[in-house]
Amino acid sequence: MDAIRLDTAAALTGLSKRTLWRRLAGGALCAVDGAAGEATRVRLDDVLARSPLPLEAGARSMILDADRGAAPAQCELALLLLEHGWVTAALAWLEKAARQLDAEALYWLGRCTLAGTGITADETAGIEWLRQAARRGHVIAPQLMRHLQDPARPAQSPAELAAALDAIERAVVLQALHDTAAPG
């Protein structure tokens, strides 16, 4: 039987850990292995039945891997949460993955920080997250940093900056697709 920690259950359901504790006490959820406290785990199937997120078939293994601490899965879970507007939970999972120096998580923390997504917009901190992502091999981060560090770049609001970075990201991805498809 697959089980996950309460903080993972909270991220998937949008419920607070306190609410989940009440549901455990009331019998609506069952603790696995009878563990109490931070080690409390609940059945993944019970959590998924209560999650409003549209999850694909492969999400189950990603969730279990994220719960076990695998940084790429934590980042993937964060991006799923971000896609559905669960910004606070997404940032928490990005931070977990970033603490393990996951390049993709560092990149997205930079993007969120620059745009002010769920946190106060901070260009200096956002650039530092992107710098760390670039050092870890993220392909798009250096392209964004060139734009951000261009002395001729006009001042931009967080929304304008996010749009400009989106355009750069699209161009990099399209170029990579073109290069891959080109006969060689």
Side-chain angles (χ1 to χ4, degrees), residues 33-78:
D33 302 330
E38 287 300 312
T40 299
R41 297 172 352 119
V42 294
R43 286 175 17 117
L44 178 58
D45 290 333
D46 293 344
V47 173
L48 293 178
R50 290 166 173 77
S51 177
L53 294 172
L55 299 170
E56 297 175 8
R60 183 181 196 85
S61 62
M62 177 266 296
I63 291 165
L64 291 168
D65 288 345
D67 186 70
R68 291 182 192 117
Q74 290 173 333
C75 184
E76 188 177 346
L77 178 56

Side-chain angles (χ1 to χ4, degrees), residues 123-146:
E123 195 167 309
T124 302
I127 290 171
E128 182 53 36
W129 285 119
L130 290 177
R131 181 176 287 114
Q132 289 182 49
R135 280 190 210 130
R136 300 278 179 253
H138 197 280
V139 176
I140 300 172
Q143 307 293 332
L144 300 186
M145 287 180 53
R146 273 196 277 288

Side-chain angles (χ1 to χ4, degrees), residues 3-9 11-12 41 44 58-81 89-90 92-97 99-100:
I4 57 174
R5 294 172 295 123
L6 277 184
D7 64 335
T8 306
L12 293 171
R41 297 172 352 119
L44 178 58
R60 183 181 196 85
S61 62
M62 177 266 296
I63 291 165
L64 291 168
D65 288 345
D67 186 70
R68 291 182 192 117
Q74 290 173 333
C75 184
E76 188 177 346
L77 178 56
L79 295 178
L80 173 73
L81 295 168
W93 284 96
L94 283 175
E95 289 170 2
K96 287 179 184 193
R99 281 194 292 272
Q100 297 179 64

